[in-house]
Amino acid sequence: AGHFGSSTVSPLPSPPFAACWRRGAMGEIVLAACAEGQGILATDLRSGALVASFEEAGAQPAAFGLIGASSGYLFAAQSKKALWQAWAWGDKKPCYRASLPERMTAMAFSADASLCFGGAASGSIYAWQMGTGCLLRCWPAHFRDVTQLLVSPDGSFLISASADANVHVYNLADIFIDHTPKPFHSWSGHSLSVTSLALLPGNGLQQVVASASLDRSVRLWDIGTGQPILSRSLSAPVNSISVGPTGSEILCACKNGELRLVSANSRESEGDGLLIGHTGSVSSCALNVDGSQAASCSEADRVRIWDMRTRQCIAQAHTSRNVQVNSVQIVQRWVEPQPLPAFQPFQRLLTKPEEVRPIPLGVSGRLESLKQALEPRASSQAFLDRMVWAQVSGAGALEGASQELELRRAAAEAGQARWAATAAELYGALVEAGLDEQASAAMPAPKPRAPEPAAAVAAASPEAASAEALAAGPGGAPAAGGG
């Protein structure tokens, strides 16, 4: 069962110094995993100063590192026990520990820390959901112990290497569909145990996997086609490899004490570089994010820091400590680490994916995007400047807009008046024609007009009066036969 110093499981606490961090990465840290419970030592890559130590860890070389892509927590699976632990930055003691179904020889997390994959000494691979602890899948992937697990940065593939000399590539979505997941690709080009894996820069199917083996070879494989691309033979078995940001060179840690830089684009060794300094077998190596520096370790002289431009050793770490360093990693220490879901004890019985309850992911993408969008406008002086410029440049525009509105209002009123007059004329014509019976009945009948006197008619029309006088004849009586 998992616990934080007790029998109950609680969400991981936030790092105590997270509130005062600024956004981004504070720097690059060299993590050195020591044997026999000697802990994990964290050293600043630039200064060489010891910045933190994490106790009670006898970490498996391929099962320690950061939880997720940018979290503030470290994890380690014990090399001799079925147990894994987690530490917050700044805490020496583990803040979380939990038992495992069996001893894990490799572990990896998805970028958002929602899934954990464990490769066991039996060759089985386990997949857990972090927020619930549900065991989503467990299948016999290899015949011997799993030596390394990789989750591609875009979350597309899970890649496993084993002491059975095979490399498997799984489509991450297919893992949760098939009861026994089938590899998307299986590569069996090595003749001895595969010791290390690395991914060259790319996305989706446009990715290349590099594998190293005790058979003294480094091979490149195309995920898209599943075909081998390149094979390089070295002078000694290869313990570990690391790839730079361009993917053009591969740093190889060899058993004969060599730290060799191999070209990923050539089958010839003419362009290879040799970094000389270690006196014993080099067990691990790592390149930093821009490829300008590297770290390596051996049993004899512990950790060395290299400048890749000059290929010279510029510093040594932990030389005064009585420790045996088995593996190194270079990680970025984030100012505002990604929050994590609450850890729950890892279950031993399978849970159907459709029965797993949904949980919120501990991501801060929307918050970070909002901060980035508001940051340029957060200054009060910038706000005042924008207001002044808006007033100065917008005064003329506001005056012109008001005049245009006044003209539009006058035009609308004139149009309404014209339509009202036209409607009145049409209605009057309908009433006069008797087409509107109700309106005609409601209107009073017109009065008959009285006959006008002749004098008035004569006054009104002299021609009509003369005609009437001629027709009347003498005495004013009508003429006979007139008519």
Side-chain angles (χ1 to χ4, degrees):
H3 59 88
F4 287 87
S6 65
S7 60
T8 59
V9 178
S10 310
L12 280 176
S14 298
F17 45 81
C20 62
W21 281 354
R22 296 178 294 107
R23 187 189 308 108
M26 291 179 66
E28 292 180 293
I29 304 297
V30 180
L31 297 178
C34 303
E36 303 298 332
Q38 296 170 343
I40 299 174
L41 304 175
T43 306
D44 185 84
L45 179 64
R46 303 296 176 183
S47 66
L50 182 68
V51 296
S53 61
F54 307 95
E55 299 177 353
E56 302 181 17
Q60 185 75 21
F64 85 102
L66 286 182
I67 299 177
S70 59
S71 75
Y73 296 89
L74 276 73
F75 78 95
Q78 298 296 308
S79 59
K80 296 183 178 181
K81 300 178 183 178
L83 179 73
W84 79 285
Q85 299 167 310
W87 295 261
W89 275 105
D91 294 343
K92 290 187 176 182
K93 300 294 183 180
C95 61
Y96 177 85
R97 57 173 57 88
S99 62
L100 296 167
E102 57 179 310
R103 185 173 64 89
M104 297 294 160
T105 53
M107 284 186 74
F109 288 81
S110 60
D112 60 3
S114 61
L115 296 173
C116 174
F117 298 94
S122 63
S124 298
I125 295 179
Y126 295 78
W128 287 281
Q129 185 182 40
M130 291 297 296
T132 62
C134 292
L135 178 60
L136 304 180
R137 280 290 178 267
C138 175
W139 71 98
H142 295 277
F143 299 106
R144 296 181 61 187
D145 55 299
V146 179
T147 54
Q148 189 168 359
L149 290 175
L150 280 182
V151 180
S152 62
D154 60 358
S156 300
F157 302 102
L158 171 69
I159 306 161
S160 65
S162 171
D164 63 7
N166 292 320
V167 177
H168 294 331
V169 179
Y170 296 91
N171 190 324
L172 211 58
D174 293 342
I175 291 177
F176 305 108
I177 296 177
D178 300 330
H179 184 71
T180 302
K182 299 282 193 294
F184 182 65
H185 292 304
S186 290
W187 298 316
S188 56
H190 291 289
S191 58
L192 293 177
S193 172
V194 180
T195 55
S196 185
L197 294 173
L199 271 171
L200 275 65
N203 287 300
L205 295 175
Q206 307 298 320
Q207 295 186 84
V208 175
V209 177
S211 61
S213 171
L214 295 180
D215 65 2
R216 305 183 181 185
S217 70
V218 174
R219 295 175 181 268
L220 300 183
W221 313 88
D222 188 350
I223 288 184
T225 63
Q227 299 299 314
I229 300 176
L230 184 70
S231 177
R232 288 292 308 273
S233 296
L234 303 181
S235 59
V238 184
N239 291 325
S240 175
I241 57 174
S242 181
V243 176
T246 62
S248 60
E249 293 180 323
I250 304 172
L251 186 63
C252 305
C254 303
K255 277 189 176 294
N256 62 354
E258 289 185 354
L259 192 61
R260 185 172 291 274
L261 199 61
V262 175
S263 173
N265 302 317
S266 174
R267 299 180 182 273
E268 304 297 330
S269 60
E270 295 177 357
D272 294 353
L274 190 61
L275 286 72
I276 302 175
H278 282 294
T279 56
S281 173
V282 185
S283 55
S284 179
C285 63
L287 285 164
N288 72 331
V289 67
D290 62 1
S292 62
Q293 289 184 298
S296 60
C297 67
S298 71
E299 296 181 4
D301 47 6
R302 299 175 183 84
V303 178
R304 287 180 178 267
I305 309 299
W306 306 84
D307 180 80
M308 297 307 295
R309 185 179 62 83
T310 62
R311 297 175 182 174
Q312 298 296 318
C313 177
I314 57 176
Q316 285 186 261
H318 318 307
T319 55
S320 61
R321 294 176 177 269
N322 185 23
V323 295
Q324 177 183 337
V325 181
N326 291 334
S327 182
V328 292
Q329 290 186 21
I330 299 179
V331 299
Q332 288 185 307
R333 181 177 172 184
W334 293 89
V335 174
E336 292 183 358
Q338 172 182 305
L340 297 175
F343 284 2
Q344 300 295 334
F346 283 175
Q347 298 178 5
R348 298 170 182 264
L349 299 178
L350 283 172
T351 303
K352 296 181 180 179
E354 58 269 18
E355 295 178 0
V356 178
R357 66 180 186 272
I359 60 169
L361 295 179
V363 296
S364 56
R366 295 190 62 175
L367 178 61
E368 290 301 316
S369 299
L370 181 61
K371 286 182 179 179
Q372 293 178 7
L374 292 179
E375 189 175 32
R377 300 169 177 82
S379 171
S380 58
Q381 185 61 42
F383 174 76
L384 293 176
D385 291 343
R386 287 195 301 273
M387 289 296 295
V388 171
W389 280 107
Q391 291 178 358
V392 172
S393 60
L398 289 174
E399 183 178 357
S402 62
Q403 293 178 355
E404 183 180 357
L405 289 176
E406 184 64 26
L407 293 175
R408 289 185 179 182
R409 185 188 63 80
E413 290 180 352
Q416 289 180 353
R418 288 195 300 271
W419 279 109
T422 303
E425 292 178 1
L426 290 174
Y427 188 70
L430 291 174
V431 172
E432 290 179 1
L435 297 179
D436 192 343
E437 297 180 357
Q438 294 182 356
S440 300
M443 293 181 63
K447 296 181 180 181
R449 298 174 62 183
E452 297 181 0
V457 174
S461 177
E463 293 82 5
S466 301
E468 185 177 353
L470 290 174

